[in-house]
Amino acid sequence: MSSRAFSPADLSAARSWPFQEARALVKRLERMKAPADRPVVFETGYGPSGPPHIGTFGEVARTTMVRRAFEALTGRPSRLVCFSDDMDGMRKVPPHLPNQALLEKHLQMPLTSVPDPFDAEHSSFAHHNNAMLRKFLDQFGFEYEFLSATECYRSGKFDETLIRVLERYDAVMEIILPTLGEERRATYSPILPISPSSGRVLYVPMLEIDPKAGEVLFEDEDGTKVKTPVTGGRAKLQWKADWAGRWFALGVDYEMAGEDLTESVRLSSRIVRALGGEPPAGFNYQLFLDENGKKISKTKGNGITIEEWLAYASPESLSLYMFHNPKAAKKLYFDVIPKVADEYLTWLQKYPSQEGAAALDNPVWHIHEGDPPTDISPVSFALLLNLVNATGTGDPEILRGFVAKYRPNASPEALAAAEKLIGYAARYYEDFVKPKKLYRAPSEQERAALAALSARLKEIGEGAEEEVYHTAAFDAGKANGFEKNIRDWFKGLYEVLFGQPEGPRMGPFVRIYGTANTAKLIDEALAR
RNA sequence: GGGCCCGUAGCUCAGCGGUAGAGCAACUGACUUUUAAUCAGUAGGUCGAUGGUUCGAUCCCAUCCGGGCUCACCA
């Protein structure tokens, strides 16, 4: 690792939000008098009833930023727990899934007891989604520990916490009940037993609770009264109590959440205190909006998905987007992608010349966990998009040639760094530029000039200087009536050959694309 | 309506008590036998509004305006 070292003075001068968050966490640990060698626990939560999405990425990326800032600040060990709420009952069958009938039969069962509707590869629906989550996180190289709620309950990891909830039952109820509607109030219990007869998660009131024995009495689905221990996976905590229980059981020190969960965090904090714990540090980040400032909703399909982002720009650029101002509602729509991609490059270029706190506050320090790469693409994404527009091609080979020409002094490493951008640009071309192309037929005059150019290029052959080709382009125009308006010649040439009024400088283009290919391009256009 | 968050140049953001900054975009010029690129330069903000605290406020407080979330169920 070639990551830079920073002085304590630099570190305390860093003002970017991850450092501010890290300092808040430090204060919390001081208040708690936490032993300095105890690993500090960061958590992110995940609901395994659907695939991971751009918000999942954002939460883990941002949490990791705080984590690394904290480590830099304190040198203390830390862990990041990605927790899957996979013991939650399946309340309804998510539409769009295959095997609806099969799923229907398993309503109210813990998600880890619902069969995988996709294939037999995973032992349950939740296992399938958990695997997707891990694959998703791994592809970005996040460092984390995966934790399954089901395993935590069944293994006894949460036993102590469940008993504690029984011990503090009244205090917990007192906090939760006022937040519920009248109807729910009548049946609410922070403990949800798993029916021994049906395996479903039961939303029933507790008839008796016995903290000493660690048991509860409730009415099972078949009407029989059942007394059961709450431990070993025979019961779980309900919403409003389970988050607090998890904090308590895992000793979570830091967790952020979307602003829609602001009230939940507040409530859970009170509950964890009632259990005798201390709520984690953290903050509520804002949700994303679409181009018009409207909330992004999956059904409306506004905004963009992580797949869309990653099709046209790097994960690092998405991290940069996540880094910016997490407390402001940010617009997330297509046009921001190229802009953010180039902003990322700009920050990367700036980093080596920055010192102290300025470097620590540079987003790339956070995006790359303190160790930004030194090989930087010598061309911006905007330039590549221009190129793609100008050359009318998304052929990576041609783009590569132009990059090498534009940046003759670029190192092989830098050119390698540009490779990814070229791929994104090519994709962009295919999806956005190509469909908009409008080739027009040449005028008689243009036809003659184009034919002359084609013939001349074949004559010259490959390997000549750019200027030779460029001169040929001019000559063909001048010799066919464009001597006074050479601009029109080029405009027409582009419209006929590339389907747009602008195009590449012809000399370099021919040199890179080849005379035979260019001549072929012309001949095909004339034959169209 | 209550609560929370946000509101600084066209855009994305920094600045968090001492006479407003960056990147991109825009514009001008140079260069290039079209485009793009490159280089040099210019312009652009009553820091959402109004009051208050202060010798002094973008920065603190209050109110208001605008945007988002949340306050039945579900997570």
Side-chain angles (χ1 to χ4, degrees), chain A residues 166 186 281 306 342 358-359:
Chain A
L166 293 184
I306 188 161
D342 277 339

Side-chain angles (χ1 to χ4, degrees), chain A residues 384-522:
Chain A
L384 283 172
L385 292 185
N386 274 329
L387 218 46
V388 150
N389 266 308
T391 59
T393 169
D395 184 341
E397 195 53 47
I398 297 176
L399 294 175
R400 227 168 269 142
F402 273 101
V403 170
K405 181 198 141 32
Y406 277 130
R407 296 286 184 273
N409 299 321
S411 67
E413 291 79 17
L415 289 176
E419 266 307 300
K420 275 194 273 178
L421 286 184
I422 287 175
Y424 295 128
R427 177 80 183 262
Y428 184 92
Y429 169 80
E430 287 298 323
D431 295 348
F432 296 102
V433 180
K434 203 172 173 187
K436 280 193 195 145
K437 284 179 163 298
L438 213 75
Y439 299 92
R440 75 165 167 80
S443 67
E444 278 313 307
Q445 196 184 354
E446 286 164 346
R447 183 170 284 279
L450 284 166
L453 178 56
S454 170
R456 177 74 183 122
L457 289 178
K458 287 174 195 156
E459 208 176 292
I460 299 170
E462 313 289 345
E465 292 298 314
E466 287 174 9
E467 290 313 305
V468 176
Y469 297 127
H470 207 61
T471 303
F474 270 85
D475 289 347
K478 285 180 189 165
N480 289 281
F482 287 104
E483 52 283 306
K484 289 200 180 119
N485 49 345
I486 199 74
R487 235 168 229 272
D488 292 343
W489 154 235
F490 279 101
K491 185 161 176 287
L493 181 145
Y494 295 133
E495 284 172 352
V496 172
L497 294 188
F498 301 102
Q500 50 199 26
E502 290 173 353
R505 189 181 160 87
M506 287 311 288
F509 177 80
V510 175
R511 164 122 181 132
I512 291 162
Y513 193 54
T515 48
N517 283 334
T518 310
K520 193 172 153 216
L521 192 69
I522 296 171

Side-chain angles (χ1 to χ4, degrees), chain A residues 9 32 126 144 163 178 192 207 234 292 393:
Chain A
M32 291 174 64
Y144 66 98
I163 302 283
L192 301 178
L207 303 174
R234 279 168 285 229
N292 304 312
T393 169

Side-chain angles (χ1 to χ4, degrees), chain A residues 292-312:
Chain A
N292 304 312
K294 295 292 169 207
K295 187 187 176 181
I296 287 180
S297 87
K298 282 175 200 146
T299 48
K300 265 195 272 173
N302 56 351
I304 51 175
T305 65
I306 188 161
E307 289 80 12
E308 288 170 312
W309 188 295
L310 296 178
Y312 307 109

Side-chain angles (χ1 to χ4, degrees), chain A residues 5 82 84 108 123 146 178 319 440:
Chain A
C82 290
S84 174
Q108 309 308 330
S123 55
F146 176 80
S319 280
R440 75 165 167 80

Side-chain angles (χ1 to χ4, degrees), chain A residues 46 48 81-87 112 124 126-127 130 133-134 145-155 157-158 246 250:
Chain A
Y46 169 71
V81 171
C82 290
F83 191 92
S84 174
D85 269 318
D86 57 14
M87 195 146 151
T112 37
S124 78
H127 282 85
N130 286 344
L133 171 72
R134 294 162 82 156
E145 295 165 39
F146 176 80
L147 227 46
S148 149
T150 306
E151 279 171 34
C152 285
Y153 280 109
R154 291 198 183 145
S155 69
K157 199 180 179 94
F158 282 0
R246 200 198 304 162
L250 303 176

